[in-house]
Amino acid sequence: MEVKKILVVGAGQMGSGIAQVAAQTGYDVTLNDINMELVEKGLNVIKKNLDRAVSKGKMTEDDKNKVLERIKLADNLEPAKEADLVIEAVVENLSVKEQVFRKLDELAPSHTILATNTSSLPITKIASFTKRPEKVIGMHFMNPVPVMKLVEIINALQTDPEVTKTVKEVAEKMGKVPIECKDVPGFVSNRVLMVMINEAIWELYEGVAPAENIDNIMKLGMNHPMGPLALADLIGLDTVLAILNVLYEGYGDPKYRPCPLLKAYVDAGWLGRKTGKGFYEYK
Ligand SMILES: NC(=O)c1ccc[n+]([C@@H]2O[C@H](COP(=O)([O-])OP(=O)(O)OC[C@H]3O[C@@H](n4cnc5c(N)ncnc54)[C@H](O)[C@@H]3O)[C@@H](O)[C@H]2O)c1
């Protein structure tokens, strides 16, 4: 199936990144959020990224304008009626995703593929919220989307192999490398990553070392480009906690139990880069 129009639902850090890359690839994109202020905020992030690319000589002003012309904005899901592919990137909360998928299923034509960028929630369950479970799939982009190559492709039990083929082609057109895995809590990526991040938070909680030392040990010792605490701040501590809860509940294994310090930071609204404070402070 040929995809021409893409609707991205949720204009936060992931949704805006996905919309940017899709528009740069030549797709007609609509970026949605719950109100126009949030949609504009997402668009401004895209504009800043494109301005930076122009100032570095990686893109012309004309190309930038063409990319921006391909992005429409919406505070409702009506554009699903026109979309060939919807990529959902709203908050990591199953009941919010349920509402969104039920509405998308109602509005979108029967050929439309409904993909989710969830970090950990069961795709099989999300598919069951619709009357087209065979057209639902996980398309897990990495943060920051314009930079990171991987798209983890997660097949629900019900996913039609043709749908998998189509979204892999879309990801490749976007310059990404799609890699498939089965639908288990946390998939491949976050089942591994979140255990490491949580362990680093436990170390901070126990006073084993300050945040900078924990991160520098992992950067210099393991050749990681970023330390686990800085990475948690980039992902968003609310998202990290939500993923750990899915892992903990999904496997019933205490190795995934979220550190109380993480819960306290989320309660305090210290969510990382997006709020200006997490394990580090951001201006
Ligand atoms: N942050 C990461 O590193 C990362 C990486 C891969 C995947 N993800 C996943 O991507 C999704 C989004 O994460 P994020 O980091 O962009 O979060 P974010 O908090 O930056 O953005 C979420 C956006 O969703 C919007 N939203 C909430 N309810 C909505 C609704 N009903 N309709 C439309 N928009 C709605 C919010 O207003 C917000 O703008 C989550 O499922 C997350 O697990 C995140």
Side-chain angles (χ1 to χ4, degrees), residues 8-16 18 32-35 38-39 41-42 74-75 77 88-93 96-97 99-100 116-121 139-145 190 193-194 231-236 238-240 242-243 271 274:
V8 179
V9 184
Q13 50 181 347
M14 295 306 291
S16 65
I18 296 166
N32 154 285
D33 208 298
I34 41 184
N35 60 50
L38 288 164
V39 183
K41 201 173 151 198
D75 61 0
L77 293 177
E88 168 277 313
V90 308
V91 281
E92 189 73 342
N93 176 306
V96 177
K97 293 199 193 280
Q99 281 173 31
V100 170
T116 171
N117 185 51
T118 179
S119 302
S120 60
L121 294 166
M139 223 180 158
H140 184 206
F141 288 82
M142 302 291 128
N143 186 11
V145 182
N190 280 323
L193 176 66
M194 289 300 150
L231 180 55
D233 275 358
L234 175 72
I235 293 168
D238 52 341
T239 303
V240 170
I243 300 169
L271 306 183
K274 61 184 167 189

Side-chain angles (χ1 to χ4, degrees), residues 9 30 42 51 167 200 204 238:
V9 184
T30 303
D51 282 340
V167 298
L204 185 68
D238 52 341

Side-chain angles (χ1 to χ4, degrees), residues 2-3 14 35 42 53 61 67 70 81 93 98 157 171 184 220 225 242 245 252-253 261 263 277-278:
E2 198 192 349
V3 170
M14 295 306 291
N35 60 50
E61 187 72 25
V67 171
R70 281 196 283 271
K81 290 180 176 166
N93 176 306
E98 174 172 2
L157 281 182
V184 299
L220 300 175
N245 280 329
D253 188 326
L261 186 66
K263 291 185 187 168
K277 182 172 167 54

Side-chain angles (χ1 to χ4, degrees), residues 29 51 57 82 115-116 119 172 182 189 211 214 239 241 258 280:
V29 179
D51 282 340
E82 306 273 304
T116 171
S119 302
E172 276 163 0
K182 284 188 185 161
S189 57
I214 294 170
T239 303
L241 179 59
Y280 299 93

Side-chain angles (χ1 to χ4, degrees), residues 125-145:
K125 182 78 185 166
I126 293 173
S128 78
F129 299 144
T130 74
K131 295 189 183 75
R132 66 182 86 197
E134 72 288 351
K135 292 215 160 57
V136 176
I137 192 161
M139 223 180 158
H140 184 206
F141 288 82
M142 302 291 128
N143 186 11
V145 182

